[in-house]
Short mmCIF file of all heavy atoms in Angstrom, two decimals:
data_model
loop_
_atom_site.label_atom_id
_atom_site.label_comp_id
_atom_site.label_asym_id
_atom_site.label_seq_id
_atom_site.Cartn_x
_atom_site.Cartn_y
_atom_site.Cartn_z
N TRP W 1 29.04 295.11 303.00
CA TRP W 1 27.95 294.60 303.92
C TRP W 1 26.75 294.32 303.23
O TRP W 1 26.18 295.32 302.54
CB TRP W 1 27.76 295.41 305.07
CG TRP W 1 26.83 294.84 306.04
CD1 TRP W 1 25.57 295.20 306.23
CD2 TRP W 1 27.13 293.86 307.00
NE1 TRP W 1 24.97 294.47 307.11
CE2 TRP W 1 25.93 293.67 307.77
CE3 TRP W 1 28.18 293.01 307.29
CZ2 TRP W 1 25.73 292.67 308.83
CZ3 TRP W 1 28.17 292.17 308.34
CH2 TRP W 1 26.98 291.95 309.03
N GLN W 2 26.09 293.07 303.20
CA GLN W 2 24.79 292.87 302.68
C GLN W 2 23.90 292.13 303.60
O GLN W 2 22.90 291.38 303.22
CB GLN W 2 24.80 292.06 301.31
CG GLN W 2 25.68 292.82 300.22
CD GLN W 2 25.84 291.96 299.07
OE1 GLN W 2 24.90 291.37 298.53
NE2 GLN W 2 27.05 291.75 298.55
N GLY W 3 24.41 292.18 304.85
CA GLY W 3 23.64 291.36 305.92
C GLY W 3 24.52 290.29 306.48
O GLY W 3 25.51 289.81 305.84
N PHE W 4 24.16 289.81 307.68
CA PHE W 4 25.08 288.69 308.28
C PHE W 4 25.07 287.45 307.35
O PHE W 4 26.07 286.83 307.23
CB PHE W 4 24.45 288.38 309.70
CG PHE W 4 24.90 289.47 310.79
CD1 PHE W 4 24.05 290.37 310.99
CD2 PHE W 4 26.10 289.20 311.39
CE1 PHE W 4 24.34 291.34 311.96
CE2 PHE W 4 26.45 290.10 312.34
CZ PHE W 4 25.61 291.22 312.66
N ALA W 5 23.94 287.00 306.87
CA ALA W 5 23.89 285.73 306.08
C ALA W 5 24.84 285.80 304.91
O ALA W 5 25.71 284.86 304.68
CB ALA W 5 22.53 285.48 305.75
N VAL W 6 24.69 286.85 304.13
CA VAL W 6 25.64 286.95 302.80
C VAL W 6 27.23 287.02 303.34
O VAL W 6 27.90 286.47 302.70
CB VAL W 6 25.17 288.32 302.00
CG1 VAL W 6 26.28 288.42 300.95
CG2 VAL W 6 23.88 287.93 301.41
N GLN W 7 27.39 287.89 304.31
CA GLN W 7 28.71 287.99 304.79
C GLN W 7 29.36 286.80 305.18
O GLN W 7 30.57 286.53 304.83
CB GLN W 7 28.82 289.14 305.92
CG GLN W 7 30.16 289.84 306.12
CD GLN W 7 30.43 290.83 304.95
OE1 GLN W 7 29.57 290.89 304.03
NE2 GLN W 7 31.37 291.63 305.06
N LYS W 8 28.70 285.97 305.93
CA LYS W 8 29.23 284.74 306.38
C LYS W 8 29.33 283.71 305.47
O LYS W 8 30.32 283.04 305.29
CB LYS W 8 28.52 284.23 307.68
CG LYS W 8 28.72 285.03 308.97
CD LYS W 8 28.31 284.29 310.19
CE LYS W 8 28.66 285.09 311.48
NZ LYS W 8 28.27 284.44 312.75
N ALA W 9 28.39 283.65 304.48
CA ALA W 9 28.43 282.70 303.44
C ALA W 9 29.56 282.99 302.50
O ALA W 9 30.23 282.19 302.02
CB ALA W 9 27.12 282.84 302.62
N TYR W 10 29.82 284.36 302.32
CA TYR W 10 31.02 284.71 301.41
C TYR W 10 32.36 284.37 302.08
O TYR W 10 33.22 283.79 301.46
CB TYR W 10 30.90 286.21 301.22
CG TYR W 10 32.19 286.75 300.50
CD1 TYR W 10 32.37 286.57 299.12
CD2 TYR W 10 33.18 287.37 301.15
CE1 TYR W 10 33.34 287.07 298.44
CE2 TYR W 10 34.24 287.96 300.39
CZ TYR W 10 34.50 287.72 299.05
OH TYR W 10 35.56 288.11 298.53
N ALA W 11 32.50 284.58 303.32
CA ALA W 11 33.62 284.20 304.17
C ALA W 11 33.96 282.65 304.04
O ALA W 11 34.99 282.30 303.84
CB ALA W 11 33.55 284.64 305.61
N ALA W 12 32.86 281.86 304.24
CA ALA W 12 32.95 280.43 304.13
C ALA W 12 33.40 279.98 302.67
O ALA W 12 34.20 279.02 302.44
CB ALA W 12 31.63 279.74 304.39
N SER W 13 33.04 280.90 301.78
CA SER W 13 33.30 280.41 300.26
C SER W 13 34.83 280.61 300.03
O SER W 13 35.44 280.04 299.14
CB SER W 13 32.52 281.18 299.25
OG SER W 13 32.89 282.59 299.28
N LEU W 14 35.45 281.45 300.84
CA LEU W 14 36.93 281.68 300.70
C LEU W 14 37.77 280.60 301.35
O LEU W 14 39.02 280.55 300.98
CB LEU W 14 37.18 283.02 301.28
CG LEU W 14 36.56 284.37 300.75
CD1 LEU W 14 36.97 285.64 301.51
CD2 LEU W 14 36.88 284.47 299.24
N CYS W 15 37.25 279.78 302.13
CA CYS W 15 38.00 278.93 302.80
C CYS W 15 38.46 277.74 302.00
O CYS W 15 37.75 277.27 301.00
CB CYS W 15 37.10 278.26 304.02
SG CYS W 15 36.68 279.51 305.22
N ARG W 16 39.73 277.22 302.22
CA ARG W 16 40.34 276.11 301.40
C ARG W 16 40.02 274.80 301.94
O ARG W 16 40.25 273.73 301.42
CB ARG W 16 41.78 276.32 301.23
CG ARG W 16 42.56 276.36 302.41
CD ARG W 16 44.06 276.41 302.08
NE ARG W 16 44.87 276.55 303.24
CZ ARG W 16 45.66 277.71 303.49
NH1 ARG W 16 45.64 278.69 302.64
NH2 ARG W 16 46.40 277.72 304.62
N ASN W 17 39.64 274.72 303.17
CA ASN W 17 39.28 273.41 303.93
C ASN W 17 37.75 273.10 303.86
O ASN W 17 36.92 274.04 303.91
CB ASN W 17 39.77 273.44 305.30
CG ASN W 17 41.30 273.50 305.37
OD1 ASN W 17 41.98 272.56 305.10
ND2 ASN W 17 41.75 274.66 305.73
N ASP W 18 37.38 271.89 303.87
CA ASP W 18 35.94 271.48 303.92
C ASP W 18 35.44 271.67 305.37
O ASP W 18 34.27 272.30 305.49
CB ASP W 18 35.80 269.98 303.65
CG ASP W 18 36.09 269.76 302.22
OD1 ASP W 18 35.82 270.49 301.39
OD2 ASP W 18 36.56 268.55 301.92
N TRP W 19 36.24 271.59 306.46
CA TRP W 19 35.72 271.81 307.65
C TRP W 19 36.10 273.35 308.07
O TRP W 19 37.20 273.86 307.90
CB TRP W 19 36.40 270.92 308.70
CG TRP W 19 35.78 269.56 308.79
CD1 TRP W 19 36.33 268.48 308.20
CD2 TRP W 19 34.62 269.21 309.40
NE1 TRP W 19 35.49 267.47 308.44
CE2 TRP W 19 34.47 267.83 309.18
CE3 TRP W 19 33.64 269.81 310.19
CZ2 TRP W 19 33.34 267.08 309.84
CZ3 TRP W 19 32.54 269.12 310.69
CH2 TRP W 19 32.40 267.77 310.38
N VAL W 20 35.03 274.04 308.43
CA VAL W 20 35.11 275.45 308.76
C VAL W 20 34.58 275.85 310.20
O VAL W 20 33.59 275.31 310.62
CB VAL W 20 34.47 276.34 307.73
CG1 VAL W 20 35.12 276.27 306.31
CG2 VAL W 20 32.99 276.21 307.58
N LEU W 21 35.21 276.78 310.83
CA LEU W 21 34.67 277.20 312.10
C LEU W 21 34.33 278.79 312.05
O LEU W 21 35.17 279.57 311.59
CB LEU W 21 35.88 277.09 313.10
CG LEU W 21 35.62 277.58 314.56
CD1 LEU W 21 34.41 276.81 315.17
CD2 LEU W 21 36.76 277.47 315.50
N ASP W 22 33.02 278.90 312.34
CA ASP W 22 32.59 280.25 312.20
C ASP W 22 32.68 280.98 313.62
O ASP W 22 31.94 280.47 314.61
CB ASP W 22 31.03 280.22 311.84
CG ASP W 22 30.37 281.47 311.96
OD1 ASP W 22 30.97 282.52 312.18
OD2 ASP W 22 28.98 281.29 312.01
N LEU W 23 33.43 281.93 313.70
CA LEU W 23 33.58 282.72 314.93
C LEU W 23 33.40 284.24 314.74
O LEU W 23 33.74 284.71 313.70
CB LEU W 23 35.08 282.70 315.50
CG LEU W 23 35.45 281.29 316.20
CD1 LEU W 23 36.91 281.51 316.75
CD2 LEU W 23 34.51 281.12 317.46
N ASP W 24 32.60 284.83 315.73
CA ASP W 24 32.49 286.12 315.63
C ASP W 24 33.64 286.95 316.36
O ASP W 24 34.29 286.27 317.19
CB ASP W 24 31.08 286.57 316.34
CG ASP W 24 29.80 286.22 315.58
OD1 ASP W 24 29.96 286.04 314.29
OD2 ASP W 24 28.70 286.13 316.08
N ALA W 25 33.72 288.21 316.18
CA ALA W 25 34.93 288.83 316.81
C ALA W 25 34.66 289.07 318.12
O ALA W 25 35.70 289.54 318.93
CB ALA W 25 35.06 290.30 316.08
N ASP W 26 33.58 288.73 318.74
CA ASP W 26 33.21 288.86 320.21
C ASP W 26 33.29 287.55 320.86
O ASP W 26 32.70 287.39 321.95
CB ASP W 26 32.08 289.75 320.49
CG ASP W 26 30.85 289.15 320.00
OD1 ASP W 26 30.93 288.12 319.32
OD2 ASP W 26 29.79 289.78 320.01
N GLU W 27 33.90 286.49 320.20
CA GLU W 27 33.87 285.29 320.86
C GLU W 27 35.19 284.67 320.98
O GLU W 27 36.06 284.75 320.04
CB GLU W 27 32.96 284.25 319.92
CG GLU W 27 31.51 284.73 319.78
CD GLU W 27 30.71 283.96 318.76
OE1 GLU W 27 31.36 283.29 317.85
OE2 GLU W 27 29.41 283.96 318.87
N VAL W 28 35.48 283.89 322.09
CA VAL W 28 36.81 283.53 322.38
C VAL W 28 36.64 281.96 322.84
O VAL W 28 35.75 281.71 323.61
CB VAL W 28 37.58 284.11 323.51
CG1 VAL W 28 38.88 283.58 323.86
CG2 VAL W 28 37.67 285.71 323.10
N LEU W 29 37.41 281.12 322.25
CA LEU W 29 37.39 279.67 322.65
C LEU W 29 38.00 279.44 323.82
O LEU W 29 39.09 279.86 324.28
CB LEU W 29 38.01 278.84 321.50
CG LEU W 29 37.56 278.99 320.03
CD1 LEU W 29 38.16 278.00 319.12
CD2 LEU W 29 36.01 278.95 320.05
N SER W 30 37.31 278.63 324.73
CA SER W 30 37.98 278.20 326.04
C SER W 30 39.12 277.22 325.85
O SER W 30 39.21 276.65 324.82
CB SER W 30 36.94 277.68 327.00
OG SER W 30 36.53 276.37 326.43
N ASP W 31 40.10 277.11 326.89
CA ASP W 31 41.17 276.09 326.80
C ASP W 31 40.49 274.64 326.47
O ASP W 31 41.11 273.93 325.77
CB ASP W 31 41.93 276.24 328.05
CG ASP W 31 42.80 277.44 328.10
OD1 ASP W 31 42.96 278.14 327.17
OD2 ASP W 31 43.06 277.75 329.26
N GLU W 32 39.38 274.30 327.33
CA GLU W 32 38.87 273.04 327.18
C GLU W 32 38.38 272.79 325.70
O GLU W 32 38.63 271.72 325.15
CB GLU W 32 37.68 272.91 328.06
CG GLU W 32 37.08 271.47 327.97
CD GLU W 32 35.76 271.37 328.86
OE1 GLU W 32 35.34 272.52 329.35
OE2 GLU W 32 35.17 270.38 328.96
N LEU W 33 37.68 273.72 325.06
CA LEU W 33 37.18 273.64 323.73
C LEU W 33 38.40 273.49 322.65
O LEU W 33 38.26 272.61 321.86
CB LEU W 33 36.36 274.80 323.33
CG LEU W 33 35.71 274.79 322.06
CD1 LEU W 33 34.88 273.49 321.91
CD2 LEU W 33 34.81 276.05 321.79
N VAL W 34 39.40 274.31 322.82
CA VAL W 34 40.58 274.12 321.93
C VAL W 34 41.08 272.72 322.02
O VAL W 34 41.48 272.20 320.99
CB VAL W 34 41.61 275.29 322.35
CG1 VAL W 34 42.94 274.90 321.51
CG2 VAL W 34 41.13 276.70 321.87
N SER W 35 41.36 272.28 323.20
CA SER W 35 41.92 270.89 323.46
C SER W 35 40.98 269.88 322.89
O SER W 35 41.61 268.92 322.17
CB SER W 35 42.04 270.63 325.00
OG SER W 35 42.55 269.28 325.11
N ASN W 36 39.73 269.95 323.00
CA ASN W 36 38.83 268.97 322.35
C ASN W 36 38.76 269.10 320.90
O ASN W 36 38.49 268.12 320.20
CB ASN W 36 37.47 269.07 323.05
CG ASN W 36 37.48 268.60 324.51
OD1 ASN W 36 38.09 267.67 324.81
ND2 ASN W 36 36.62 269.27 325.33
N LEU W 37 38.86 270.33 320.37
CA LEU W 37 38.93 270.45 318.89
C LEU W 37 40.15 269.68 318.28
O LEU W 37 40.14 269.05 317.16
CB LEU W 37 38.89 271.87 318.54
CG LEU W 37 37.54 272.64 318.71
CD1 LEU W 37 37.74 274.15 318.47
CD2 LEU W 37 36.53 272.05 317.69
N LYS W 38 41.25 269.91 318.94
CA LYS W 38 42.58 269.20 318.52
C LYS W 38 42.36 267.70 318.58
O LYS W 38 42.74 266.99 317.65
CB LYS W 38 43.59 269.61 319.37
CG LYS W 38 44.13 271.18 319.20
CD LYS W 38 45.22 271.61 320.12
CE LYS W 38 45.60 273.03 319.95
NZ LYS W 38 46.71 273.42 320.82
N ALA W 39 41.68 267.30 319.60
CA ALA W 39 41.46 265.85 319.69
C ALA W 39 40.56 265.28 318.64
O ALA W 39 40.71 264.20 318.18
CB ALA W 39 40.98 265.39 321.15
N LEU W 40 39.63 266.00 318.31
CA LEU W 40 38.54 265.69 317.26
C LEU W 40 39.22 265.44 315.92
O LEU W 40 39.04 264.51 315.23
CB LEU W 40 37.55 266.73 317.25
CG LEU W 40 36.50 266.53 316.14
CD1 LEU W 40 35.59 265.32 316.34
CD2 LEU W 40 35.57 267.85 316.01
N PHE W 41 40.29 266.31 315.58
CA PHE W 41 40.89 266.29 314.33
C PHE W 41 42.23 265.49 314.32
O PHE W 41 43.00 265.76 313.40
CB PHE W 41 41.06 267.79 313.75
CG PHE W 41 39.75 268.36 313.19
CD1 PHE W 41 38.98 269.14 313.92
CD2 PHE W 41 39.39 268.14 311.91
CE1 PHE W 41 37.77 269.61 313.55
CE2 PHE W 41 38.23 268.63 311.40
CZ PHE W 41 37.31 269.46 312.23
N GLU W 42 42.50 264.79 315.29
CA GLU W 42 43.73 263.93 315.33
C GLU W 42 43.54 262.97 314.16
O GLU W 42 44.49 262.51 313.66
CB GLU W 42 43.94 263.31 316.62
CG GLU W 42 44.45 264.22 317.70
CD GLU W 42 44.67 263.44 319.05
OE1 GLU W 42 44.25 262.31 319.24
OE2 GLU W 42 45.24 263.97 319.98
N GLN W 43 42.23 262.64 313.93
CA GLN W 43 41.88 261.79 312.78
C GLN W 43 40.82 262.47 312.10
O GLN W 43 40.01 263.41 312.67
CB GLN W 43 41.44 260.35 313.22
CG GLN W 43 42.57 259.52 313.88
CD GLN W 43 42.01 258.16 314.23
OE1 GLN W 43 40.92 257.82 314.25
NE2 GLN W 43 43.12 257.31 314.46
N GLU W 44 40.40 262.27 310.83
CA GLU W 44 39.36 262.83 310.25
C GLU W 44 38.05 262.55 310.90
O GLU W 44 37.79 261.37 311.07
CB GLU W 44 39.30 262.30 308.76
CG GLU W 44 38.23 262.84 307.89
CD GLU W 44 38.27 264.41 307.54
OE1 GLU W 44 39.48 264.93 307.67
OE2 GLU W 44 37.28 264.97 307.20
#
């Protein structure tokens, strides 16, 4: 741990995709949001 900023920047650096979704462990996506995210990425 070196603070939230360093921790999240490090996590993002590990990702293999250009598009990243930052979620905290106390956050849950609603059904509507999941559906709309899928629709968003049907195309780039």
Side-chain angles (χ1 to χ4, degrees):
W1 185 257
Q2 300 176 52
F4 281 94
V6 170
Q7 203 74 354
K8 288 196 174 186
Y10 176 75
S13 74
L14 300 178
C15 298
R16 62 175 172 245
N17 294 288
D18 289 329
W19 283 98
V20 297
L21 176 62
D22 166 20
L23 277 182
D24 288 339
D26 60 359
E27 296 171 344
V28 178
L29 304 186
S30 68
D31 291 339
E32 179 188 8
L33 183 53
V34 170
S35 177
N36 287 325
L37 286 172
K38 291 178 179 179
L40 176 66
F41 282 93
E42 285 181 354
Q43 297 180 345
E44 177 71 17

